[in-house]
Amino acid sequence: MKFFRPFTGLIALGLLLLLSLAPASAQLFETKAAQAFMIDAETGTVLFSKDADRLIPPASLAKLMTMEVVFNAIKSGRMTLDDTFVVSENAWRKGGAPSGTSTMFAKLKSTIRLEDLIQGVTVQAANDGCIVIAEGIAGSEANFAAQMTERARQIGLQKSTFVNSTGLPADGQQTSVRELALLALHIWRNYPDLYRYYGQKDFTWNKISQRNRNPLLAMDIGADGLAVGASEQSGFGIVGSASHNGTRVIAAMSGLANDRERAEEARKLLDWGVRSFEKTEIFAKDEVVGEAQVFGGAKSGVALKAKGPVQIFLPITNRDKLTARIVYDGPVAAPVEEGQPVGTLRVWIGDTLSQETPLFAAESIGVGSLPQRALDAAKELAVGWLR
């Protein structure tokens, strides 16, 4: 039986919580994006979510997964930045100058260093660069796309599926803004030396200089990545990251009307994210968070604590939109062992589930006496059906 226990520990800290079991009624931020998702980069805490799990065509945002496969190969030592790849006729026609799509203008049958291809993709969203890399690593773009999907599953992206390396329209190619933001977070955390390419302002290849397609880099909001995309089905999308005063946020948005609206909505969301929250420790390491009901035990309840300190991101204003609850399957049957997983502390900001912290038994509870167990059985028989 699922228990929802209103969480009262925050009140001692002078923070106002809504303790009703009904969901909070409104977001703290409004956006024109059809789908949006934003997280704190340090902790992964969700700061904003709007229809974040709807499956959409990734368009050029698929190139983030292309680069993850490349970055992982470099980190593991299977490839180096000095490795070279040949521009095939397929890559040249499908993604180069003849294609009329975003390109780094790679010459047919030329040989290009991997580092230059990476810059072509991260700065110019070069389709030819993606295809050259895909063919060079996996023999064909289809084989490389299969690697992209397999790698997506390995890093925890359960819904994203890739059919090509570029994000050009293809049946079956899909992702969500939640998984795009988590992918960007993964890249930032795991490849700091390679992530820097996303902040590069321009890149020249084949004597043609192009500025980075990400409009956020020209804004004074501390942005240093990552990518933009657009498709007829999902509209204009973006994955951006910005930092301010030690706080970094990563956001993904889709379903915007045009490139101007995309730039403005992304700027507003990221700027709000880095300025509108403060991290607060609400429980120290080993401090009791709450209690779960015990069935058939020597005690009627077991104290709960997290593995370490519990920190949450509080909105600087609108703190009355913060809701927290302890959730567990119960009552917990005795005996209970200290350190046993029991439940979760869930924190909502508005109607966004922002944070989940596992909770564990802070003590051992033995099996109760026969009268205690009989009393618990009678209570469960009387009121258990009401839950």
Side-chain angles (χ1 to χ4, degrees):
M1 189 70 67
K2 188 72 72 176
F3 273 47
F4 296 88
R5 176 155 294 188
F7 175 61
T8 57
L10 289 179
I11 294 176
L13 298 177
L15 304 179
L16 180 61
L17 295 181
L18 301 180
L19 296 177
S20 70
L21 296 185
S25 59
Q27 291 278 15
L28 303 185
F29 182 86
E30 298 294 331
T31 178
K32 295 177 182 177
Q35 298 86 32
F37 187 74
M38 182 169 65
I39 48 181
D40 167 70
E42 180 185 354
T43 64
T45 300
V46 179
L47 303 179
F48 183 81
S49 181
K50 178 182 179 181
D51 203 13
D53 295 309
R54 181 179 294 275
L55 295 177
I56 58 173
S60 277
L61 298 176
K63 295 178 173 73
L64 291 171
M65 194 69 236
T66 298
M67 287 296 95
E68 198 288 329
V69 174
V70 174
F71 292 170
N72 181 57
I74 293 171
K75 184 176 180 179
S76 66
R78 291 181 284 115
M79 297 175 61
T80 73
L81 293 174
D82 290 323
D83 287 347
T84 58
F85 297 83
V86 176
V87 180
S88 69
E89 183 169 350
N90 177 62
W92 177 72
R93 289 193 181 278
K94 190 184 294 185
S99 70
T101 65
S102 55
T103 177
M104 62 185 289
F105 297 100
K107 290 182 178 179
L108 176 62
K109 298 182 180 180
S110 64
T111 300
I112 306 178
R113 290 175 64 246
L114 179 57
E115 184 176 22
D116 294 322
L117 291 167
I118 290 172
Q119 290 175 92
V121 174
T122 56
V123 177
Q124 299 162 349
N127 289 322
D128 49 356
C130 287
I131 300 171
V132 169
I133 289 172
E135 292 177 341
I137 291 178
S140 72
E141 192 175 11
N143 289 342
F144 185 80
Q147 291 186 19
M148 291 169 65
T149 300
E150 180 181 1
R151 181 63 183 157
R153 299 295 177 270
Q154 291 173 358
I155 64 175
L157 309 184
Q158 298 303 317
K159 298 180 180 179
S160 296
T161 301
F162 301 95
V163 179
N164 57 46
S165 64
T166 59
L168 291 170
D171 291 341
Q173 189 147 255
Q174 63 183 28
T175 189
S176 68
V177 291
R178 182 190 300 272
E179 293 202 347
L180 285 170
L182 293 176
L183 172 57
L185 175 62
H186 170 84
I187 292 172
W188 176 77
R189 283 180 173 173
N190 290 277
Y191 313 112
D193 293 339
L194 299 167
Y195 174 83
R196 62 183 175 85
Y197 291 115
Y198 286 107
Q200 187 171 318
K201 297 293 180 66
D202 53 55
F203 180 61
T204 300
W205 188 256
N206 197 15
K207 298 182 180 180
I208 300 172
S209 182
Q210 300 182 74
R211 293 192 61 78
N212 196 307
R213 292 175 178 265
N214 185 352
L216 298 173
L217 300 183
M219 302 177 183
D220 188 23
I221 60 170
D224 56 9
L226 284 113
V228 296
S231 73
E232 289 187 11
Q233 288 179 278
S234 59
F236 286 72
I238 188 168
V239 176
S241 181
S243 61
H244 175 73
N245 288 342
T247 296
R248 175 178 290 275
V249 296
I250 294 174
M253 310 178 80
S254 184
L256 292 154
N258 50 57
D259 53 1
R260 179 176 297 180
E261 184 175 86
R262 172 177 61 192
E264 180 61 14
E265 291 297 300
R267 181 197 65 77
K268 290 192 296 186
L269 181 61
L270 288 168
D271 202 31
W272 176 75
V274 296
R275 298 178 187 275
S276 300
F277 295 85
E278 59 183 4
K279 185 166 64 175
T280 302
E281 182 175 300
I282 57 173
F283 286 102
K285 182 180 180 181
D286 294 327
E287 186 175 356
V288 172
V289 173
E291 186 179 86
Q293 184 179 339
V294 173
F295 176 81
K299 294 175 61 176
S300 62
V302 58
L304 304 178
K305 65 180 182 180
K307 286 294 188 184
V310 178
Q311 298 176 325
I312 65 173
F313 278 78
L314 297 174
I316 294 173
T317 59
N318 295 306
R319 290 192 174 185
D320 60 332
K321 300 299 184 183
L322 185 72
T323 309
R325 303 168 200 146
I326 294 172
V327 181
Y328 64 98
D329 289 323
V332 183
V336 181
E337 297 295 328
E338 182 178 357
Q340 175 182 324
V342 174
T344 304
L345 172 63
R346 293 181 180 172
V347 178
W348 284 262
I349 300 174
D351 58 7
T352 295
L353 178 57
S354 176
Q355 187 170 327
E356 295 187 275
T357 302
L359 298 177
F360 304 84
E363 56 185 332
S364 295
I365 306 292
V367 175
S369 64
L370 183 59
Q372 287 174 315
R373 285 179 282 156
L375 180 60
D376 283 352
K379 289 179 180 178
E380 187 65 17
L381 183 63
V383 302
W385 65 276
L386 293 173
R387 299 189 189 103

